Amino acid sequence: MKKNNLYILAVAVVSTFVLAACANLKTMQKRIDELGAKAEPNPLEVHGDSVEITISGRFPEKYFPKKVIAESTPVLTYSGGEAKFKMQGYQGEKAAGNFKDVIPYKAGKSFSYTDKIAYSPSMEESKLELRVNGSMGSKSASFPPIAVADGVITTPYLMKADDKVMFAADQFVRTKSFTTEAVINFDYNSSVLKPKESSDADMVALAEFFKQVQANPKMVITKIEFQSYASPEGEIFLNDNLAGERAESGKKALNDLVKRNKMEGFLAENLFQLNPKGEDWEGFRAAMQASGIQDRDIIIRILEKTSDLNSREQEIKNISKTYVEIQKDIFPALRRCIIRVYYNQEGYSDAELKTLSSSNASVLDYEELMKAATLTEDLSLKASIYKEAQTRSTADWRATNNLGSVYFQQGKSGDADAQWTKAYGQKKEAITSNNMGVATRVKGDRKKALTLFKESGSGEAKYNQGLINIQNGDYASAVNTMSGYKTFNSALAKMLNGDLSGASADLGASGDNSAIADYLKAIIAARGNDTTGVGTHAKSAISKDPSLSTKAAKDLEFRNFRDAIK
């Protein structure tokens, strides 16, 4: 009988506990709204491809029984699925759980936690609810879900893919400067013209050159110099005079050449410049070095150590008596007057380059093709010109890089990547690093792309860094790196960073009149609580792109302005 009484007592105790547990959980369910649970932000926002939330609230006094354990899980529900944030556990002062967050029964306690999940487009229309499960002993209960936020704002995804690609500049020089020359040689200690000198091959070639200039208006002679010398075996004073006389003789030889070819009046006197140099010591040293004289290096060193000109002259005389090759092969070539003609040649005009690049590109050299490509807005023609430029023997990384940039503008990102990779391999510099960064960003590797943009350091690369900063949710950095530009994206970055007036200014200065630009203006107006502006810009955007009507109808940026955008 005693044993039965103990059994009955045990059952009673358990029953009482179960009833108490049920009562406690039911009481918590009824008072669930007293938690004041809320989410920040509300609506949620996509931020760097993630949706981050902070859930906060407070367990009120005498709410959380001492032996209760509760699990709280934020869940984002949307059409076709749901995404759970991390579960946060709480327990009463005497609960047999392992949660660190213990809630005092009498005093209550505030709670707050943060978590994020990866964003997917289906989350744009969604609800965030807080699901709480409580347990006490063997009894458990699911509390009614607490609605804490509506949907996800996806405005950062308005970012345009307007990566700044870079073209390498051409090195085309329209007016090029050249020289051509002929040499008149003289006998020892003489400035008298020798008849055979006037008919030498170089003088004949000079006459033909003058005829070419006469026939070609793009060739202009700018100066004719008569640079004359004496060999260094005579007296210095006499050699100086002799060099001057040889310059005059060279001038006479040229005038005779012009007359013989019936080109009188072709060369103006003010083109002539006499430039006698005296003894040609440098020429002597160069000729000795190039000669086959066995002791040439010793001779040169001896003469270089002799600083006094008269002494050096005597040494040359002494040496030349020993080495007959000097008298025979070196001195004669130093007794001369060089007739040097300076002239400019005008290259193709822009109009000629444009015509030839599309009709006869084979006649153009590398730099002419590089220039011609800049003279057309036709991307297909640009591409063909850069392809032609790549075939030239003097081609470098620039044509390859620029072809890649044209492909990118044509939407051929794969072809652009191939060309840019080749150019980057040929030369790693600001332009190629930037363009490789663009290709890398487009492929989704933001980290590597950032490294390449920093390696470039160009203004374009900094702007492109801003695109990645927007994607990563780092709007302050985006504003900083895009500071040199006024574009849709710089406006977007400023708006996301809280600078509405700066965003409006950038958008106005961008010259962007697209539908999506008007849509962004409407969002700026909404964030500034400008109902009129929302209506004006949203309607303008929809008139340009009717598909934006559907987007605007569910966009939480306009949750308080539904009537304005109808």
Side-chain angles (χ1 to χ4, degrees):
M1 186 72 176
K2 188 175 183 180
K3 186 175 181 180
N4 288 339
N5 288 336
L6 289 173
Y7 175 77
I8 293 170
L9 179 62
V11 169
V13 170
V14 171
S15 299
T16 301
F17 177 79
V18 169
L19 291 173
C22 292
N24 284 333
L25 293 176
K26 286 182 179 179
T27 300
M28 290 178 74
Q29 291 182 41
K30 291 178 181 179
R31 298 177 61 194
I32 192 72
D33 289 339
E34 295 181 32
L35 270 63
K38 62 179 182 178
E40 290 289 343
N42 184 16
L44 306 179
E45 296 177 2
V46 63
H47 199 87
D49 297 321
S50 300
V51 178
E52 183 173 326
I53 59 166
T54 296
I55 302 290
S56 62
R58 178 177 177 79
F59 294 108
E61 298 174 1
K62 298 181 180 180
Y63 173 82
F64 208 106
K66 294 179 180 182
K67 294 185 178 182
V68 167
I69 295 173
E71 296 178 349
S72 172
T73 306
V75 181
L76 192 64
T77 63
Y78 49 87
S79 177
E82 63 180 31
K84 293 182 178 181
F85 292 82
K86 70 180 179 182
M87 182 274 293
Q88 183 75 2
Y90 307 93
Q91 65 185 55
E93 297 167 287
K94 295 183 179 181
N98 295 313
F99 295 130
K100 294 180 181 179
D101 212 338
V102 178
I103 311 301
Y105 174 70
K106 290 184 178 181
K109 185 178 179 180
S110 296
F111 64 88
S112 177
Y113 67 95
T114 299
D115 191 24
K116 63 181 178 180
I117 58 174
Y119 172 78
S120 69
S122 54
M123 295 177 181
E124 186 172 4
E125 289 186 278
S126 58
K127 296 284 185 181
L128 179 67
E129 60 185 30
L130 191 61
R131 297 177 184 174
V132 181
N133 293 316
S135 64
M136 185 173 174
S138 62
K139 291 296 180 178
S140 63
S142 295
F143 297 1
I146 306 171
V148 289
D150 295 320
V152 180
I153 287 177
T154 61
T155 301
Y157 284 110
L158 294 179
M159 188 190 87
K160 291 185 176 183
D162 66 344
D163 305 70
K164 304 302 180 187
V165 302
M166 297 177 72
F167 285 80
D170 64 84
Q171 296 173 8
F172 174 71
V173 178
R174 197 178 305 280
T175 301
K176 298 179 181 179
S177 298
F178 303 93
T179 62
T180 188
E181 60 185 44
V183 179
I184 301 292
N185 291 108
F186 299 90
D187 288 334
Y188 173 71
N189 203 30
S190 172
S191 61
V192 177
L193 286 171
K194 295 183 288 186
K196 69 172 185 176
E197 291 294 319
S198 298
S199 58
D200 274 357
D202 54 351
M203 291 295 285
V204 173
L206 190 58
E208 290 302 314
F209 169 75
F210 287 150
K211 291 176 184 178
Q212 184 182 357
V213 173
Q214 279 188 313
N216 188 351
K218 291 191 174 185
M219 297 176 70
V220 178
I221 295 174
T222 58
K223 183 175 72 172
I224 300 177
E225 179 184 31
F226 301 91
Q227 188 169 302
S228 54
Y229 299 89
S231 56
E233 79 268 30
E235 298 295 329
I236 294 175
F237 176 74
L238 294 177
N239 278 343
D240 287 345
N241 289 337
L242 185 59
E245 292 168 0
R246 286 172 176 171
E248 292 286 354
S249 294
K251 177 181 175 182
K252 181 180 184 304
L254 182 65
N255 283 327
D256 290 345
L257 179 71
V258 170
K259 289 178 182 179
R260 285 198 308 273
N261 287 276
K262 299 179 180 180
M263 292 185 285
E264 292 90 340
F266 169 57
L267 299 176
E269 183 70 22
N270 62 6
L271 293 175
F272 297 161
Q273 179 179 311
L274 303 184
N275 188 17
K277 293 290 188 178
E279 291 184 349
D280 190 4
W281 159 244
E282 292 299 326
F284 175 78
R285 181 170 59 181
M288 281 293 296
Q289 191 66 54
S291 73
I293 297 174
Q294 187 173 1
D295 297 328
R296 60 185 180 277
D297 292 333
I298 297 173
I299 295 170
I300 291 172
R301 283 198 297 271
I302 291 172
L303 296 176
E304 285 179 338
K305 289 180 180 179
T306 308
S307 58
D308 180 74
L309 296 179
N310 290 316
S311 299
R312 186 168 64 187
E313 190 174 90
Q314 186 59 50
E315 288 287 355
I316 290 174
K317 288 179 181 179
N318 295 337
I319 291 170
S320 64
K321 290 176 182 179
T322 304
Y323 297 92
V324 294
E325 298 98 324
I326 295 176
Q327 291 285 354
K328 180 183 177 183
D329 300 327
I330 293 180
F331 284 155
L334 302 180
R335 305 164 187 149
R336 71 201 188 282
C337 175
I338 303 171
I339 302 173
R340 187 172 291 116
V341 180
Y342 297 82
Y343 66 98
N344 291 336
Q345 182 154 353
E346 190 76 9
Y348 292 116
S349 67
D350 285 356
E352 290 170 329
L353 287 173
K354 289 178 70 173
T355 299
L356 290 170
S357 64
S358 59
S359 63
N360 192 18
S362 62
V363 304
L364 300 178
D365 65 25
Y366 182 63
E367 294 302 340
E368 289 168 341
L369 287 165
M370 292 294 288
K371 175 65 175 179
T374 69
L375 302 175
T376 178
E377 298 300 320
D378 185 329
L379 294 179
S380 295
L381 179 56
K382 273 184 183 288
S384 68
I385 294 173
Y386 285 129
K387 287 179 184 178
E388 180 73 21
Q390 286 180 312
T391 68
R392 298 297 183 266
S393 61
T394 56
D396 58 17
W397 63 275
R398 291 175 295 145
T400 303
N401 172 83
N402 291 5
L403 179 58
S405 296
V406 172
Y407 281 151
F408 188 82
Q409 291 178 335
Q410 290 178 314
K412 302 175 181 178
S413 58
D415 292 334
D417 188 0
Q419 294 296 320
W420 283 338
T421 299
K422 181 179 177 182
Y424 185 73
Q426 291 172 321
K427 186 171 185 180
K428 185 186 297 186
E429 62 102 65
I431 293 174
T432 56
S433 294
N434 174 74
N435 290 346
M436 277 304 298
V438 172
T440 305
R441 189 195 77 81
V442 169
K443 289 187 291 187
D445 190 343
R446 297 177 193 170
K447 184 176 180 180
K448 184 178 178 181
L450 275 175
T451 298
L452 287 162
F453 290 142
K454 290 176 181 177
E455 179 180 278
S456 170
S458 64
E460 291 85 350
K462 290 180 179 178
Y463 181 87
N464 295 333
Q465 278 182 252
L467 300 182
I468 294 179
N469 290 331
I470 291 174
Q471 290 181 299
N472 289 343
D474 186 357
Y475 307 131
S477 293
V479 170
N480 181 52
T481 58
M482 290 177 156
S483 60
Y485 292 84
K486 306 292 182 185
T487 68
F488 175 93
N489 285 333
S490 72
L492 176 64
K494 287 185 176 179
M495 186 202 72
L496 293 171
N497 199 46
D499 182 3
L500 300 183
S501 62
S504 293
D506 274 19
L507 203 51
S510 71
D512 190 337
N513 295 311
S514 65
I516 202 66
D518 286 343
Y519 193 89
L520 181 58
K521 290 177 183 178
I523 294 175
I524 294 171
R527 292 196 177 194
N529 201 30
D530 176 7
T531 303
T532 301
V534 171
T536 299
H537 297 306
K539 289 173 183 176
S540 177
I542 293 168
S543 70
K544 294 175 182 178
D545 181 359
S547 70
L548 291 175
S549 176
T550 302
K551 179 176 177 59
K554 61 183 181 181
D555 194 333
L556 291 173
E557 293 279 10
F558 305 126
R559 61 193 179 278
N560 298 323
F561 303 93
R562 296 303 180 195
D563 292 338
I565 63 175
K566 288 181 180 179

